[in-house]
Amino acid sequence: MNLEELAGVGKSSAERFAELGIDTPLDLLNDFPFRYDDLREVTPAAQLARAQDDSIEENAAGTIVWVRERRARRLAIVEAELADESGSFIAKWFGRSYLMGALRKGMRLFVRGRTQRTLTGAAMNVAIHKVLAEGETHRGELVPVYPAGKDLTSRKIRQVVARNLPKLLTLAGEDPLPKTILRARRFPELREAYRSMHAPGSPEEANKARERFIFTEFLALALAAQMKRQTRSAARSARALRASPALLGELQREVPFPLTAAQQRVIGEIWDDMARDSAMNRLLQGDVGSGKTLVAAAAILLAARNGVQSALMAPTEILAAQHAAKLSPLLMPFGIAVEAVFGSQGAKARATAVARLGSGEAAVAVGTHALLTEGVEFESLGLAIIDEQHRFGVEQRARLRSKGSAPHTLHMTATPIPRTLAQSIYADLDVSVIDELPPGRSPIETYVLRQSRLERAYDFVRKNVALGRQAYIVAPVIDESELELTSVVAESERLQRIVFPDLRLGLLHGRMPARDKEDAMQRFARNEVQVLVATTVVEVGVDVPNASVMVVLDAQRYGLSQLHQLRGRVGRGAAQSYCLLIASDEAEELERLQILAGSNDGFAIAEEDLRLRGPGEFAGTAQSGLANFRVADLVRDIAVYRDAKAAAESIVADDPELRATAHAGLRALVEGEPSARAMLLSS
Ligand code: ADP
Ligand code: MG
């Protein structure tokens, strides 16, 4: 059915609806109001403007005592005194001179607007008014307010919906929710819920309908997650890898420091999973520097002891090389050799690595996407570790796993994911958290500075370099662009020429060839480069303990979690480290950035980020499609999510593939909701 078939929609308004993504009558039915103006009750004049919150709109009705027009700074203001039995107030209309001809003493008006108290009583900034006829009492309703478009007012949308509502409601289709769910929660049935969204009798009715739609979106996601879990655990196709009771003690003896309590706990969780014959699917979260490498080593050790191989895949060569360098000494005492597989490695080195992995001689492969190439085969891959999992596509993660038969999978991330997100969009994963840093780290001191203080920040860099330390300077874009942002290329030239002519500077950005990037990192790691000017490619995992200052230019551009990640590049050695966040002089976001100055806790920062910027900011969340909700909001509606999750668990426990007739609607729902589909595809 075409939108133009609706009353009140012509060719040109159909185009304007299309700009809002409303192409069909069904889209219109699903275009929900974001609020309702409650015009039902009027407040007596004497009680207006009593609320603390002056953003609340109030309704009133009264008879015009006088009307006049005055001007303030070229703006015409029409004012009228309106009286009812309780008293009177002043109604004001801004920039609407023409009303002078329409409003007369003695007329009765209904008005709605924001109110405030003045010295002479209440005043209302009128948003809506209606002239009441002789003897007419105000009969108001809840007026739905729709998100407007550039050329399409909320009022026009409201009119079209109202005129066509019965017709639109016939499009509602079968209710996907089983009766039991509706009854237990007192949810309205689908068609009734649509009606309540567009023409509610009361705010409560609208809320209940909205909750139903939120619940439904969450239920689809939770069902998909639960079905994946169920399938995996039912398959029992993984190798159970058992640890001898002495293994943790052995590991502890060979590591040069005591494991933190968090590391021990997490290793226990991972080993327990790997001891089952259903494949592990676990996410390991730990702030930068929390010691994830050792945990990965423990998982690899268990695999090796059980005679199966492991593969660790990282998103960049720098990171993969670093992993190989850190894992080798940890695994050496156990006689486990690490084989590197990089895109840039020579043919001969690659051939050797491939041969050793194929024969089973090498127990561990550490590498980049190069691990996914055809030639790389394993004798028996039992454990796949994916570092910074969100940087890989679904396809790539699946391809790594397909090199073994149902290998246990450990995803790692240094971006703390807020609990609410982990519980929902990563609901098919078990989550382990290293919530403790190894002892002896002093917190990084963080300062927020205005752009006009930039030279001070650079002085500070110079002082630290004079003490033998190194610094990162991070800028948001590679080249000059029309955006008024600092480019790394231009800034590094300027710094070398004018600010630090006597220092050794390096440049690192994502468009450099892999070789050059690697080379720039190596030179920085050897302290041949004192100041590394870079884009956010240094964000993840790069480890140079002598670097003690991180300067972030245009810091207002980033999410808090991303800044926390960048900050984690320093503070990895013994020296006191500093992070200087430079915000443009115009930025209004200093307060947001100050949160970082006040906290070094990645999880607390992540929660704050989620609250301020929504789930899209998190590691690949936006691209994954997992948080693509139309009505639901994971932060606001988390209680509804928990309810939906519990419902999904009990449904899937009884009917793992949703085959029951009563669940036909649910099955269609899981296949139709974007977030649920993404969940089924994700890994
Ligand atoms: P992550 O990968 O989580 O950012 P790493 O595994 O690179 O962190 O560990 C950061 C540093 O802390 C490394 O130098 C590592 O040797 C050290 N480390 C790890 N665990 C401990 C521990 N229990 N006690 C002391 N130092 C540790
Ligand atoms: Mg690491």
Side-chain angles (χ1 to χ4, degrees):
M1 198 163 133
N2 199 312
L3 206 57
E4 282 178 56
E5 289 169 41
L6 296 178
V9 184
K11 190 163 169 359
S12 83
S13 54
E15 278 163 17
R16 282 176 270 143
F17 273 104
E19 279 171 27
L20 283 177
I22 302 170
D23 296 313
T24 64
L26 188 61
D27 293 340
L28 185 61
L29 181 64
N30 279 300
D31 181 47
F32 293 155
F34 63 93
R35 69 175 157 90
Y36 303 88
D37 284 338
D38 189 347
L39 305 188
R40 294 171 306 164
E41 305 283 337
V42 294
T43 306
Q47 280 165 37
L48 285 170
R50 289 280 163 86
Q52 287 297 330
D53 182 351
D54 62 7
S55 69
I56 292 175
E57 294 192 339
E58 291 185 285
N59 305 327
T63 305
I64 297 179
V65 182
W66 49 254
V67 202
R68 69 172 187 216
E69 182 176 14
R70 64 186 182 87
R71 292 194 166 260
R73 285 192 230 97
R74 265 190 267 145
L75 184 66
I77 307 174
V78 172
E79 290 182 336
E81 181 178 355
L82 298 185
D84 65 13
E85 302 80 48
S86 71
S88 72
F89 65 98
I90 306 297
K92 299 182 185 186
W93 290 260
F94 291 87
R96 291 159 78 182
S97 288
Y98 62 89
L99 286 173
M100 278 309 287
L103 302 178
R104 274 179 306 281
K105 185 177 168 183
M107 271 182 174
R108 288 191 61 239
L109 291 186
F110 167 83
V111 287
R112 176 182 175 81
R114 291 185 186 183
T115 52
Q116 68 203 113
R117 291 217 79 79
T118 69
L119 284 176
T120 52
M124 177 187 286
N125 185 352
V126 178
I128 303 173
H129 75 269
K130 184 181 162 205
V131 178
L132 298 174
E134 188 75 43
E136 179 185 354
T137 46
H138 167 68
R139 282 215 340 271
E141 48 192 19
L142 283 178
V143 177
V145 183
Y146 293 86
K150 198 159 46 68
D151 311 302
L152 190 63
T153 62
S154 171
R155 185 191 175 90
K156 171 71 181 175
I157 301 171
R158 178 165 72 233
Q159 286 166 347
V160 172
V161 172
R163 282 183 69 180
N164 297 280
L165 193 55
K167 192 175 195 175
L168 292 176
L169 288 176
T170 63
L171 304 173
E174 284 286 306
D175 195 331
L177 298 184
K179 294 269 183 299
T180 46
I181 286 190
L182 296 177
R183 268 199 300 273
R185 290 166 184 78
R186 301 218 170 83
F187 283 155
E189 175 277 322
L190 183 62
R191 190 166 304 185
E192 178 59 17
Y194 274 119
R195 198 199 52 72
S196 298
M197 290 304 286
H198 292 291
S202 70
E204 295 73 32
E205 191 186 306
N207 283 341
K208 203 68 197 168
R210 184 178 298 272
E211 191 187 323
R212 190 219 123 99
F213 286 107
I214 292 168
F215 179 90
T216 310
E217 278 191 300
F218 282 153
L219 184 67
L221 177 68
L223 282 171
Q226 202 55 30
M227 287 165 77
K228 279 187 69 186
R229 275 175 176 276
Q230 187 89 14
T231 313
R232 200 171 47 242
S233 71
R236 312 178 122 235
S237 48
R239 272 277 292 272
L241 309 174
R242 300 220 163 75
S244 83
L247 194 57
L248 191 64
E250 257 184 80
L251 177 64
Q252 179 64 83
R253 265 196 307 285
E254 301 296 347
V255 175
F257 36 70
L259 305 189
T260 63
Q263 282 171 324
Q264 293 184 37
R265 189 191 66 241
V266 165
I267 289 171
E269 290 166 358
I270 291 170
W271 283 358
D272 281 351
D273 279 5
M274 292 170 71
R276 302 210 176 93
D277 58 7
S278 53
M280 167 169 78
N281 193 28
R282 187 170 281 276
L283 174 66
L284 171 61
Q285 297 190 62
D287 221 334
V288 278
S290 61
K292 291 186 292 299
T293 311
L294 177 56
V295 174
I300 292 170
L301 171 61
L302 179 65
R305 279 295 163 89
N306 283 271
V308 294
Q309 294 167 292
S310 304
L312 187 157
M313 183 166 72
T316 65
E317 291 213 354
I318 296 173
L319 289 177
Q322 217 166 260
H323 275 299
K326 283 191 199 167
L327 281 171
S328 293
L330 287 169
L331 294 169
M332 208 152 39
F334 302 97
I336 302 171
V338 171
E339 210 56 63
V341 180
F342 298 161
S344 68
Q345 87 194 134
K348 202 154 153 226
R350 171 70 70 89
T352 314
V354 165
R356 284 167 50 81
L357 290 166
S359 69
E361 204 180 327
V364 189
V366 173
T368 55
H369 306 82
L371 283 170
L372 305 176
T373 47
E374 292 266 311
V376 181
E377 298 292 343
F378 293 82
E379 200 248 334
S380 64
L381 180 66
L383 172 66
I385 303 178
I386 299 166
D387 189 28
E388 299 304 329
Q389 48 106 14
H390 60 272
R391 310 250 315 251
F392 292 99
V394 174
E395 226 283 53
Q396 294 171 317
R397 286 179 273 174
R399 191 125 54 95
L400 181 64
R401 281 199 309 266
S402 74
K403 305 234 167 200
S405 112
H408 296 285
T409 306
L410 182 65
H411 311 264
M412 302 205 291
T413 177
T415 312
I417 296 164
R419 250 167 54 88
T420 39
L421 279 190
Q423 285 171 352
S424 49
I425 65 175
Y426 295 124
D428 62 326
L429 298 172
D430 294 301
V431 178
S432 287
V433 178
I434 312 183
D435 51 5
E436 177 188 4
L437 293 182
R441 305 264 170 85
S442 52
I444 300 159
E445 286 182 27
T446 301
Y447 299 93
V448 181
L449 302 176
R450 286 288 189 188
Q451 180 77 25
S452 38
R453 297 290 171 83
L454 182 62
E455 300 309 317
R456 290 266 193 92
Y458 287 157
D459 283 346
F460 186 77
V461 167
R462 173 180 292 286
K463 280 208 194 83
N464 277 267
V465 171
L467 292 172
R469 314 236 200 285
Q470 291 162 275
Y472 296 96
I473 296 174
V474 172
V477 292
I478 297 176
D479 298 315
E480 297 285 359
S481 60
E482 70 279 23
L483 302 167
E484 292 184 353
L485 296 171
T486 317
S487 95
V488 259
V489 174
E491 187 67 357
S492 77
E493 276 165 19
R494 187 185 80 88
L495 287 169
Q496 186 73 80
R497 211 156 27 83
I498 299 168
V499 185
F500 301 128
D502 51 332
L503 301 186
R504 296 185 302 275
L505 267 56
L507 176 65
L508 178 66
H509 62 71
R511 283 219 304 271
M512 286 163 49
R515 272 280 150 84
D516 295 359
K517 279 194 272 192
E518 180 68 16
D519 188 53
M521 258 341 283
Q522 291 301 347
R523 281 157 37 89
F524 188 62
R526 291 196 299 264
N527 201 356
E528 289 166 23
V529 160
Q530 295 160 306
V531 178
L532 185 63
V533 186
T535 54
T536 52
V537 289
V538 297
E539 184 182 344
V540 181
V542 173
D543 191 3
V544 178
N546 190 49
S548 67
V549 183
M550 166 62 69
V551 179
V552 184
L553 305 174
D554 296 313
Q556 75 281 353
R557 283 258 306 169
Y558 302 95
L560 297 178
S561 291
Q562 202 181 1
L563 290 169
H564 179 64
Q565 284 291 308
L566 282 168
R567 171 166 74 173
R569 299 305 103 224
V570 298
R572 303 175 79 87
Q576 174 62 53
S577 290
Y578 304 90
C579 175
L580 309 180
L581 303 175
I582 315 295
S584 80
D585 288 328
E586 298 80 46
E588 290 163 4
E589 302 194 66
L590 291 200
E591 244 172 88
R592 188 174 68 89
L593 297 177
Q594 287 294 352
I595 292 169
L596 284 165
S599 174
N600 266 292
D601 176 347
F603 281 92
I605 290 165
E607 292 289 349
E608 197 61 21
D609 228 6
L610 177 62
R611 211 175 53 72
L612 293 171
R613 315 218 323 173
E617 288 302 311
F618 286 89
T621 317
Q623 305 88 290
S624 73
L626 289 164
N628 287 352
F629 304 116
R630 284 183 311 109
V631 202
D633 174 329
L634 272 173
V635 180
R636 186 192 62 200
D637 305 321
I638 190 66
V640 181
Y641 178 77
R642 296 214 179 92
D643 180 23
K645 184 176 182 194
E649 281 166 3
S650 83
I651 292 167
V652 174
D654 289 345
D655 182 12
E657 288 168 36
L658 304 180
R659 295 264 170 243
T661 344
H663 294 159
L666 291 178
R667 202 164 57 238
L669 182 69
V670 170
E671 281 153 17
E673 284 289 327
S675 67
R677 281 223 307 271
M679 173 62 80
L680 287 178
L681 290 173
S682 75
S683 53

